[in-house]
């Protein structure tokens, strides 16, 4: 797992051994579920353990379907935000959460968050913004530029699109706001070599790019054992195919359901377990499974606690990550650690 020492070595070598004030900026943060959210939580808590001060600025949104407006999942007519404190301290990390007013695709309009960045960014030694084609990192870059504060951007996946008109919108963003954000960033974090190529394809300066892979707590998953009680709750299937993912179209779960009839023809007592929060695509998947006559072999669990996730890995014979766009899927590392 990336720790505070690695972070300061990469981005602030002149400050090694010194106290550093770090501002993390991301659209969503746990208890919201997602790889980037978990990434920020882990590196923030590791930096605190190293003796640094870490503040996270985020929103109270948990998914793309809880803010009124138009998202990639369609129209949402009213806010259904998380009931979380505006300011809290979580494992040593100070977290500010602001209520978004409106959503337009991946952009959330959150005046309180923008105002805090404008007023407070100069109080920090470095700003680390996350994701690309989002309002929060764009606002962080503008605020950091006005105060000459060094700014890191981890885009996570800079090329993900959802097809159709969205691809054109992204190209326009790349040429305008996205290009400005990338050019103003002091350091660009790529999760792997492919991610680095994506930055270069957008015209980024190669001297600013650093590769920092995602990490997990391997010991949590290496020790998993089969939980017979959980297997009994699932009906004691002979084989379990596991997919852990938010339920979104680009995550590709429909491709598993497409393959299910052929798999069941050879292995009829197989259960396909889809573990993750439904963010607007669940009804379509269930309809697809019903039409393919495999719905009784599919289990959609919804969100489960972090403590229960390793138990599902312990039951799985096969793990599948069918996503058509990932920066660096943490669940793939978890599955490999679990064998």
């Amino acid at each position: 797992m990336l720790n505070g020492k690695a972070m300061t070595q990469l981005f602030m070598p002149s400050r090694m051994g010194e106290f550093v004030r770090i501002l993390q900026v991301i659209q969503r943060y746990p208890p919201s579920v997602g790889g980037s959210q978990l990434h920020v939580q882990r590196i923030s808590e590791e930096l605190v353990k190293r003796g640094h001060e870490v503040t996270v600025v985020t929103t109270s949104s948990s998914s793309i379907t809880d803010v009124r407006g138009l998202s990639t999942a369609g129209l949402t007519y009213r806010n259904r935000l998380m009931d979380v404190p505006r300011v809290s301290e979580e494992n040593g990390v100070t977290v500010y959460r602001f209520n978004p007013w409106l959503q337009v695709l991946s952009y959330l309009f959150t005046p309180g968050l923008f105002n805090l960045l404008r007023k407070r960014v100069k109080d920090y030694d470095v700003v680390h913004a996350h994701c690309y084609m989002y309002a929060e990192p764009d606002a962080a870059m503008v605020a950091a530029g006005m105060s000459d504060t060094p700014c890191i951007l981890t885009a996570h996946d800079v090329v993900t699109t959802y097809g159709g008109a969205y691809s054109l919108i992204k190209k326009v963003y790349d040429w305008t706001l996205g290009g400005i954000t990338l050019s103003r960033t002091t350091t660009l974090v790529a999760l792997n070599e492919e991610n680095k190529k994506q930055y270069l394809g957008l015209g980024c300066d190669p001297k600013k790019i650093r590769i920092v892979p995602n990490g997990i707590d391997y010991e949590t998953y290496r020790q998993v054992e089969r939980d017979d009680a959980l297997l009994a709750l699932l009906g004691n299937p002979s084989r379990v195919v596991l997919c852990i993912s938010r339920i979104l179209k680009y995550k590709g779960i429909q491709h598993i359901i497409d393959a299910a009839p052929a798999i069941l023809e050879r292995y009829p007592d197989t259960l396909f377990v889809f573990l993750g929060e439904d963010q607007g695509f669940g009804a379509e998947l269930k309809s697809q499974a019903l039409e393919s006559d495999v719905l009784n072999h599919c289990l959609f669990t919804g969100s489960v606690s972090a403590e229960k996730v390793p138990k599902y890995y312990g039951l799985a014979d096969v793990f599948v990550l069918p996503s058509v766009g990932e920066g660096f899927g943490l669940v793939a590392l978890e599955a490999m650690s679990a064998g």
Side-chain angles (χ1 to χ4, degrees):
M1 187 188 301
L2 177 65
N3 58 35
K5 183 178 180 181
M7 184 68 71
T8 47
Q9 282 176 332
L10 280 164
F11 310 127
M12 303 192 72
S14 63
R15 299 293 298 270
M16 283 301 297
E18 296 182 29
F19 169 79
V20 179
R21 296 166 299 176
I22 302 154
L23 180 64
Q24 303 270 19
V25 182
I26 187 168
Q27 187 174 89
R28 298 180 179 93
Y29 187 76
S32 173
V33 175
S36 58
Q37 294 94 306
L38 187 58
H39 171 102
V40 175
Q41 182 184 50
R42 285 174 171 170
I43 64 173
S44 297
E45 293 177 0
E46 289 291 329
L47 285 161
V48 167
K49 290 177 183 177
R50 293 278 172 177
H52 303 296
E53 177 188 305
V54 182
T55 300
V56 173
V57 175
T58 186
T59 76
S60 55
S61 170
S62 66
S63 76
I64 63 173
T65 60
D66 66 0
V67 179
R68 65 174 173 264
L70 176 65
S71 72
T72 54
L75 283 170
T76 299
Y77 295 99
R78 62 185 180 87
N79 282 357
R80 297 185 296 274
L81 302 168
M82 293 188 293
D83 183 14
V84 288
R86 180 173 177 179
V87 184
S88 60
E89 184 171 316
E90 302 172 17
N91 295 323
V93 179
T94 301
V95 183
Y96 289 87
R97 292 184 175 91
F98 294 91
N99 291 340
W101 289 9
L102 180 69
Q103 178 170 206
V104 178
L105 297 178
S106 60
Y107 250 60
L108 297 185
F109 293 90
T110 315
L113 183 149
F114 302 155
N115 195 39
L116 183 141
L117 289 175
R118 179 178 62 84
K119 291 181 177 179
R120 296 280 307 279
V121 73
K122 63 182 181 297
D123 298 335
Y124 296 89
D125 299 307
V126 62
V127 177
H128 189 177
H130 296 264
C131 301
Y132 180 73
M133 204 173 171
Y134 289 77
E136 296 76 19
D138 289 349
M141 296 305 160
V142 171
M146 293 174 64
S147 65
D148 293 324
T149 303
C151 197
I152 304 161
L153 175 68
T154 301
H156 294 276
D157 185 357
V158 298
V159 297
T160 296
T161 63
Y162 300 87
Y166 198 84
S167 297
L168 177 60
I169 292 169
K170 183 183 179 298
K171 287 182 179 179
V172 173
Y173 176 81
D174 292 339
W175 296 334
T176 54
L177 290 173
I180 294 170
T181 291
L182 293 171
S183 66
R184 288 184 174 181
T185 303
T186 309
T187 303
L188 294 165
V189 177
L191 302 177
N192 49 48
E193 286 289 348
E194 186 62 29
N195 212 192
K196 180 178 179 178
K197 292 177 185 177
Q198 294 164 2
Y199 280 122
L200 295 174
L202 293 173
C204 297
D205 181 353
K207 295 179 181 178
K208 297 199 304 186
I209 303 172
R210 301 290 184 271
I211 295 179
V212 186
N214 278 343
I216 63 169
D217 180 1
Y218 292 101
E219 295 306 317
T220 297
Y221 303 97
R222 283 177 177 163
Q223 300 173 9
V224 297
E225 297 178 355
R226 184 176 292 268
D227 186 326
D228 291 333
L230 178 58
L231 188 64
L233 285 175
L234 302 184
N236 287 312
S238 298
R239 292 175 176 84
V240 174
V241 175
L242 177 65
C243 176
I244 300 180
S245 168
R246 289 173 294 141
I247 309 300
L248 290 163
K249 186 173 184 178
Y250 85 90
K251 290 294 186 178
I253 296 169
Q254 63 272 24
H255 304 307
I256 299 178
I257 296 175
D258 280 340
I263 295 169
L264 289 167
E265 186 175 340
R266 185 168 180 181
Y267 304 103
D269 192 24
T270 298
L271 180 67
F272 298 88
V273 178
F274 303 105
L275 191 157
E277 181 181 14
D278 183 1
Q279 296 191 356
F281 194 53
E284 188 168 334
L285 290 174
K286 290 175 184 177
S287 177
Q288 177 190 356
L290 182 62
E291 290 177 7
S292 300
D293 197 27
V294 298
L295 184 58
N296 60 332
H297 290 273
C298 295
L299 174 64
F300 295 87
T301 69
S303 295
V304 302
S305 67
E307 293 75 20
K308 289 184 178 179
V309 171
K311 295 183 178 181
Y312 282 89
Y313 283 119
L315 297 184
D317 298 285
V318 175
F319 177 82
V320 185
L321 180 62
S323 175
V324 298
E326 287 287 341
F328 195 116
L330 290 172
V331 289
L333 291 182
E334 294 170 358
M336 286 188 281
S337 296

